[in-house]
Amino acid sequence: MKWLRAWLDRRRPKVLSERQRALDLIAAVDAGGVPLNPARVNDIARQLGLEVSTRARVEDTIERIRAAVARLP
């Protein structure tokens, strides 16, 4: 049974915290990446407690995410 549990645990996707998702996004943008999915960026912002308009520019939302992460402990 241990092998089955180990196999199932490996197949389960790891759940990242909101803060870690935001840090990963910022790191990717700083490395020169461009977010291809604005909905994902908006979801990260909303998980951090930010209100995001569907008409907001992705660049503005990323800057707000940076500020929110800087405020987190």
Side-chain angles (χ1 to χ4, degrees), residues 20-68:
Q20 187 60 48
R21 287 181 66 201
L23 290 173
D24 291 347
L25 173 69
I26 291 170
V29 169
D30 289 345
V34 177
L36 298 177
N37 189 351
R40 182 174 176 214
V41 175
N42 290 347
D43 181 54
I44 292 170
R46 288 185 182 109
Q47 291 295 319
L48 291 173
L50 301 174
E51 290 189 23
V52 183
S53 168
T54 55
R55 295 184 183 141
R57 293 183 19 206
V58 174
E59 295 82 9
D60 296 338
T61 305
I62 291 172
E63 289 306 315
R64 292 182 63 209
I65 290 172
R66 283 183 196 273

Side-chain angles (χ1 to χ4, degrees), residues 9-26:
D9 286 341
R10 279 186 299 198
R11 295 186 45 93
R12 185 175 303 147
K14 295 181 181 176
V15 177
L16 298 176
S17 69
E18 296 87 17
R19 184 175 192 275
Q20 187 60 48
R21 287 181 66 201
L23 290 173
D24 291 347
L25 173 69
I26 291 170

